[in-house]
Amino acid sequence: MTDWRTQLDEKKVLIVDGAWGTELINRGITSREVPEAWNIDRPEEIYFVALAYVNSGADIILTNTFGGSPLKLAKVGLREKTVDINRLGTEISKKAASSRALVFGSIGPTGELLKPLGAASETELLKGFAEQAKALAAGGADGIVIETMMDLTEAKAALRAVKENTSLSVAVTMTFNEAGGKYATLMGVRPDHAAVELERAGADIVGANCGAGIDLMIEVARVMRRATSLPVWCKPNAGLPELVDGKTIYRESPEKMASRFGELVEAGANMIGGCCGSTPAHIRALVLERNKLVIPKP
Ligand SMILES: [Zn+2]
């Protein structure tokens, strides 16, 4: 398959997949279960989520390995399954992608705070991310995305671990929210600072995921674009989650997300998908918008 850089040149904007967590909830996963354990126990369900995103036209799909760092898996008694969970998760996405999409292995935060705020040392983080990255590469990943990061030190540790242990391209995306007209992660990292620091640390792609819907993402993309010449990756969620009749819902429809696609591209986004609450229908709508950029009108 053509690598992501060549595809980005040809297609102007690459479309990435949408949410996995909310799709797995639709497939019956409960809050008592560990989503990544389904790579072993319910691989067919994982395969169908991946396939739905391939069929919706995504150029890049991810893997069901967001919580697959050994530090995170240790909290749920699955530490010794780290290699299996990450390798199988990648193999499932690769099988669904076939020759139609690239697969980027997903690495999420460990959930640990670094010393002195928490108990984790940087060496432990590096070791854990290295183990996860090697298993994702062994499963055949075409790239890696380190996502939903709040802390720059953890994001950089993950980046370094991937760079030192694989030859894969790496996207690093953080989650920003807005307060008083300023954008920052929960740990106080600003988007422009993140872009500069992550580029300096060797990221191939920088960006943002989750957050609070498409409007916020457009602003964050603008700030990041001014700070870096790297491709910018944006996966907004479908608005903030709301609890209605005991069910979590997301209000931003595929039409709403697609209607702002042009503004997001103008703001500087090069790779666009969806986070929490987005569905294969959202991705399909984004693909149709993108195709207007590359297919000349008759
Ligand atoms: Zn999300």
Side-chain angles (χ1 to χ4, degrees):
M1 259 206 91
T2 320
D3 66 278
W4 67 268
R5 286 179 205 276
T6 312
Q7 285 201 46
L8 183 57
D9 273 352
E10 284 166 2
K11 299 179 179 176
K12 316 292 179 214
V13 175
L14 293 184
I15 304 300
V16 192
D17 65 8
W20 282 67
T22 37
E23 287 300 295
L24 288 175
I25 291 168
N26 294 339
R27 292 188 165 270
I29 201 166
T30 65
S31 55
R32 291 181 303 280
E33 291 174 272
V34 179
E36 290 77 14
W38 275 29
N39 295 351
I40 296 170
D41 303 331
R42 304 283 298 277
E44 66 289 349
E45 299 295 340
I46 303 304
Y47 174 78
F48 284 121
V49 173
L51 187 64
Y53 284 121
V54 176
N55 287 340
S56 69
D59 302 298
I60 297 172
I61 65 163
L62 307 191
T63 56
N64 183 42
T65 57
F66 176 76
S69 80
L71 279 84
K72 188 93 187 271
L73 290 173
K75 296 186 217 296
V76 289
L78 293 172
R79 168 75 184 78
E80 76 286 2
K81 299 275 187 205
T82 298
V83 172
D84 286 349
I85 280 173
N86 287 285
R87 188 176 45 78
L88 289 170
T90 312
E91 287 173 3
I92 295 166
S93 284
K94 286 291 287 183
K95 189 177 163 204
S98 183
S99 59
R100 295 195 288 156
L102 295 170
V103 172
F104 273 44
S106 167
I107 294 180
T110 58
E112 295 287 335
L113 287 175
L114 273 161
K115 286 173 184 168
L117 292 174
S121 74
E122 217 174 319
T123 316
E124 282 173 294
L125 286 189
L126 276 168
K127 239 180 105 196
F129 285 130
E131 186 178 347
Q132 185 179 15
K134 280 189 266 186
L136 294 168
D142 302 297
I144 299 286
V145 55
I146 295 159
E147 53 181 351
T148 324
M149 286 287 162
M150 309 286 180
D151 178 23
L152 206 44
T153 311
E154 183 175 15
K156 285 201 272 191
L159 174 59
R160 190 176 143 199
V162 179
K163 286 277 166 191
E164 286 179 355
N165 291 281
T166 78
S167 56
L168 298 171
S169 292
V170 194
V172 188
T173 74
M174 302 190 82
T175 297
F176 302 98
N177 285 291
E178 190 247 326
K182 301 252 185 240
Y183 312 106
T185 71
L186 277 180
M187 299 291 285
V189 183
R190 297 185 321 272
D192 47 345
H193 184 60
V196 168
E197 286 287 311
L198 293 168
E199 178 169 7
R200 191 175 294 157
D204 299 282
I205 301 161
V206 295
N209 73 292
C210 220
I214 188 83
D215 294 336
L216 172 77
M217 191 55 80
I218 291 168
E219 296 309 317
V220 168
R222 220 187 298 282
V223 174
M224 288 193 120
R225 177 76 293 152
R226 282 200 293 262
T228 180
S229 56
L230 291 178
V232 171
W233 166 301
C234 292
K235 282 184 118 205
N237 53 10
L240 284 172
E242 291 174 46
L243 204 60
V244 177
D245 298 332
K247 235 187 134 219
T248 305
I249 63 152
Y250 294 84
R251 289 199 191 272
E252 294 188 6
S253 64
E255 295 72 30
K256 154 109 192 190
M257 202 180 267
S259 73
R260 309 296 302 279
F261 177 85
E263 279 171 87
L264 187 52
V265 172
E266 235 167 75
N270 308 93
M271 302 164 97
I272 299 176
C275 202
C276 306
S278 66
T279 65
H282 287 81
I283 301 312
R284 183 79 203 133
L286 293 175
V287 168
L288 292 175
E289 288 302 315
R290 188 279 309 278
N291 289 351
K292 293 179 192 166
L293 301 178
V294 281
I295 299 170
K297 291 192 181 85

